[in-house]
Amino acid sequence: MPSLLEALERKYFAECEFENAHEPELHKRSDLPNDFTVTKCGGRMEFSIFIPRLSPLTSVPALLVLNDCDIDSAGDFESIRDKCQRVRELDLAQNKLRDWSEVFSILEHMPRIEFLNLSKNQLASPISALATAPTINLKSLVLNGTYLDWACVDALLQNLPVLQELHLSLNNYRQVLIDAHEVEVLAEQRLQGTEPDTETEEEKEQRRLTKAHPELKTLHFTGNPVEHWQEICRLGRLFPNLEALVLADCPIRSLQAEEAENEAESASHRYFPSLKLLNLSSAQLNSWSAIDQLAKFGQLRNLRVKHWPLWESLECTEHERRQLLIARLPNVEMLNGGGKIGTDERVDAERAFVRYYMDKPEEERPARYEELLRIHGKLDPLVNVSLKPDKRVKVVFTYNDVSESRFVDIYLTVNDLKVKLEKLVGLAPNKMRLYYLDQDYKEFGPEEMRFPNKQLYSYNIQSGDEIIIDAKK
């Protein structure tokens, strides 16, 4: 397997030579330009045009990309220093690096480096104690899919004092086994019996107390199977000045830390005083109380909350759902990747929110309702003169003798519906047939929905109708 030096020489360096430099019997004629040469071949004289190769590089570019090159070592460090003087960003993803001392030696000989990607390298071995931190300029580190243990992560953090961005996605972390809790606080919790008891004794033994890393501003934690918010609170204590936190595809089930049951309700956000961006898409959250917890994050401006189970259970359109979200989140300025929420959109959303809960029982009204009622006053209900059919209807879906009722948007096409049903029945859309059964005309039997671009409303579909799912033979 090649070293880093061999891989970069193969990619960026070449000797300066000419195509026909070693051809025999080359003769220059004074009446020809300098880039022409005459070759004597028997009785014939042939003209050759020489195109020189580009002169060799003296150093590689500032962005050095050597991913998936089977690199397992560094090579000669002095040559690396000479050739990599300009390197600021180094991508070594999907290589065969195993030794952390080798990695730090590489960084030590690239003194200007600020970004390093080590994703999918086999770097699970422990990091030996380092006398000094050689990479004081490293600001971004990507460790996705490396499965580093938390002791290793802790050692890295203590040796990278100016690190501002860290990627720990897809590392199969279920717990965060380092914490920056003050020793006195933890000891007091144990003494009073209020220490969280959701973890095993082995996990408590594994967790270590460490120093906080106040320089870190951005943390990517996507795709780790973390379910409990107290684990995320530990990340907040480790990185007290965090401004961006990406938790997409983490199956988080609550935003209330279990360890904070006897504390003020501010526990969900108390460790994130500077958080401006939060991505919670595909979390397993099924309650509006989670949104109310997010409203307590005082600096939160950019939020993503797509693909929650909660949205599947609501009897409202996507536009109405967005209005309910905006009204509950007074500080959020960008929602689910859309444009900035303007003043008019927010006012419309808040007034729609008041009308939505106006006729509901008092016990169903959230605290935000009273706040907005004081701002906008009691509003008259809107007169609905629309003659359009309902946008969402409740349809019975049947597959293999199993039936389930779900709301469906009637403006979806047949193909869109197949895509949504893929997760429900485990069939690819191109392996699926749909049949529509009108509840009022069951005696005529089901009608195959054969046209992929036909919208559901064109079938005159109504609540209580049935759609039968069948697998293509």
Side-chain angles (χ1 to χ4, degrees):
M1 286 183 281
S3 67
L4 182 148
L5 181 62
E6 290 169 339
L8 71 87
E9 284 181 338
R10 185 181 304 166
K11 182 170 183 177
Y12 292 100
F13 294 88
E15 293 183 4
C16 182
E17 60 184 12
F18 296 93
E19 291 291 334
N20 299 313
H22 304 292
E23 292 290 333
E25 300 188 49
L26 297 182
H27 305 276
K28 291 294 293 178
R29 279 177 43 177
S30 59
D31 58 335
L32 293 176
N34 288 333
D35 53 356
F36 281 81
T37 303
V38 181
T39 306
K40 186 176 181 180
C41 296
R44 300 196 317 271
M45 300 295 287
E46 294 183 355
F47 292 92
S48 299
I49 300 176
F50 293 94
I51 302 175
R53 295 180 182 175
L54 293 175
S55 58
L57 294 170
T58 57
S59 62
V60 299
L63 171 58
L64 176 55
V65 179
L66 293 173
N67 54 16
D68 200 15
C69 292
D70 289 330
I71 295 169
D72 65 346
S73 61
D76 181 68
F77 288 117
E78 292 308 315
S79 295
I80 289 175
R81 182 187 294 276
D82 292 340
K83 292 183 167 77
C84 299
Q85 298 172 13
R86 299 172 55 209
V87 172
R88 291 184 179 274
E89 300 182 33
L90 176 60
D91 186 349
L92 292 175
Q94 300 185 69
N95 280 294
K96 301 292 189 340
L97 291 168
R98 295 174 178 270
D99 190 344
W100 275 106
S101 62
E102 192 90 349
V103 172
F104 274 89
S105 294
I106 290 171
L107 297 175
E108 189 174 10
H109 288 82
M110 297 183 187
R112 301 180 69 185
I113 192 168
E114 296 181 353
F115 170 91
L116 175 63
N117 184 358
L118 292 171
S119 296
K120 297 186 178 179
N121 278 272
Q122 302 169 14
L123 288 163
S125 59
I127 300 175
S128 58
L130 299 168
T132 58
T135 54
I136 58 172
N137 293 322
L138 193 64
K139 296 179 180 178
S140 299
L141 179 60
V142 185
L143 297 169
N144 299 335
T146 54
Y147 304 103
L148 291 184
D149 62 31
W150 284 103
C152 214
V153 174
D154 183 29
L156 280 171
L157 291 172
Q158 303 313 319
N159 284 281
L160 300 172
V162 298
L163 192 69
Q164 296 179 7
E165 181 174 345
L166 179 62
H167 295 245
L168 293 175
S169 300
L170 302 172
N171 281 329
N172 201 33
Y173 294 141
R174 294 182 179 274
Q175 294 94 23
V176 178
L177 296 179
I178 52 177
D179 201 336
H181 241 324
E182 293 293 338
V183 177
E184 295 82 1
V185 173
L186 193 60
E188 184 180 350
Q189 285 182 338
R190 288 173 177 165
L191 185 64
Q192 296 177 354
T194 59
E195 184 189 11
D197 58 0
T198 57
E199 55 190 352
T200 65
E201 290 299 323
E202 182 180 358
E203 288 168 347
K204 290 178 183 179
E205 290 296 323
Q206 289 176 339
R207 181 169 291 114
R208 63 166 69 185
L209 291 174
T210 186
K211 295 179 181 178
H213 195 87
E215 296 299 320
L216 200 82
K217 298 294 192 296
T218 300
L219 177 64
H220 289 257
F221 207 70
T222 295
N224 288 303
V226 174
E227 296 185 5
H228 304 294
W229 188 251
Q230 67 262 28
E231 305 297 331
I232 308 303
C233 288
R234 292 187 181 101
L235 295 176
R237 292 192 287 266
L238 285 168
F239 311 118
N241 295 324
L242 208 59
E243 295 180 1
L245 177 59
V246 181
L247 300 171
D249 296 318
C250 294
I252 295 168
R253 300 186 178 278
S254 171
L255 295 186
Q256 182 65 48
E258 295 172 18
E259 65 183 33
E261 288 179 356
N262 297 322
E263 299 180 12
E265 290 185 356
S266 63
S268 291
H269 64 279
R270 61 180 296 186
Y271 302 112
F272 301 94
S274 304
L275 195 66
K276 298 177 182 178
L277 182 151
L278 178 61
N279 188 336
L280 279 169
S281 291
S282 298
Q284 295 301 304
L285 293 164
N286 198 21
S287 170
W288 279 110
S289 62
I291 298 298
D292 294 335
Q293 293 292 340
L294 292 174
K296 299 175 184 178
F297 287 66
Q299 299 300 317
L300 189 61
R301 299 293 181 266
N302 191 337
L303 177 66
R304 287 178 181 260
V305 287
K306 291 183 176 181
H307 311 303
W308 283 14
L310 174 61
W311 314 140
E312 296 297 324
S313 63
L314 296 180
E315 298 183 25
C316 61
T317 65
E318 186 173 341
H319 174 69
E320 291 166 340
R321 182 180 77 198
R322 178 177 171 85
Q323 286 188 316
L324 294 176
L325 279 168
I326 291 172
R328 285 180 183 256
L329 298 165
N331 296 326
V332 171
E333 297 175 353
M334 294 185 67
L335 182 62
N336 289 331
K340 188 173 182 179
I341 299 168
T343 303
D344 291 343
E345 184 181 12
R346 183 169 295 281
V347 170
D348 289 345
E350 290 176 351
R351 293 172 68 88
F353 181 89
V354 171
R355 287 191 173 96
Y356 181 84
Y357 283 102
M358 195 163 50
D359 297 327
K360 294 190 179 297
E362 189 171 345
E363 60 272 14
E364 294 183 17
R365 295 172 181 168
R368 182 66 174 156
Y369 173 80
E370 294 298 330
E371 295 174 11
L372 293 177
L373 194 63
R374 287 193 292 270
I375 295 172
H376 299 287
K378 191 170 183 179
L379 304 174
D380 294 329
L382 295 176
V383 179
N384 185 11
V385 295
S386 175
L387 301 179
K388 292 182 179 180
D390 292 336
K391 292 181 179 179
R392 287 167 61 90
V393 295
K394 199 168 189 178
V395 176
V396 178
F397 291 95
T398 301
Y399 178 63
N400 286 343
D401 298 325
V402 177
S403 298
E404 182 176 343
S405 295
R406 289 199 171 213
F407 285 95
V408 63
D409 186 340
I410 63 172
Y411 291 96
L412 292 175
T413 65
V414 172
N415 194 59
D416 291 337
L417 180 59
K418 287 182 177 181
V419 171
K420 287 184 173 291
L421 291 173
E422 182 177 3
K423 291 183 180 180
L424 179 65
V425 301
L427 284 176
N430 61 347
K431 300 292 183 182
M432 191 186 302
R433 279 199 179 97
L434 300 182
Y435 297 87
Y436 167 61
L437 184 61
D438 191 319
Q439 61 185 328
D440 296 326
Y441 299 96
K442 288 187 176 181
E443 63 272 18
F444 295 105
E447 172 189 356
E448 183 176 359
M449 305 169 80
R450 293 186 293 116
F451 304 104
N453 295 319
K454 189 173 182 180
Q455 291 180 294
L456 300 185
Y457 73 82
S458 61
Y459 289 91
N460 294 319
I461 193 168
Q462 299 179 30
S463 291
D465 290 347
E466 182 177 3
I467 292 178
I468 301 166
I469 308 164
D470 190 23
K472 289 183 179 179
K473 307 302 183 192

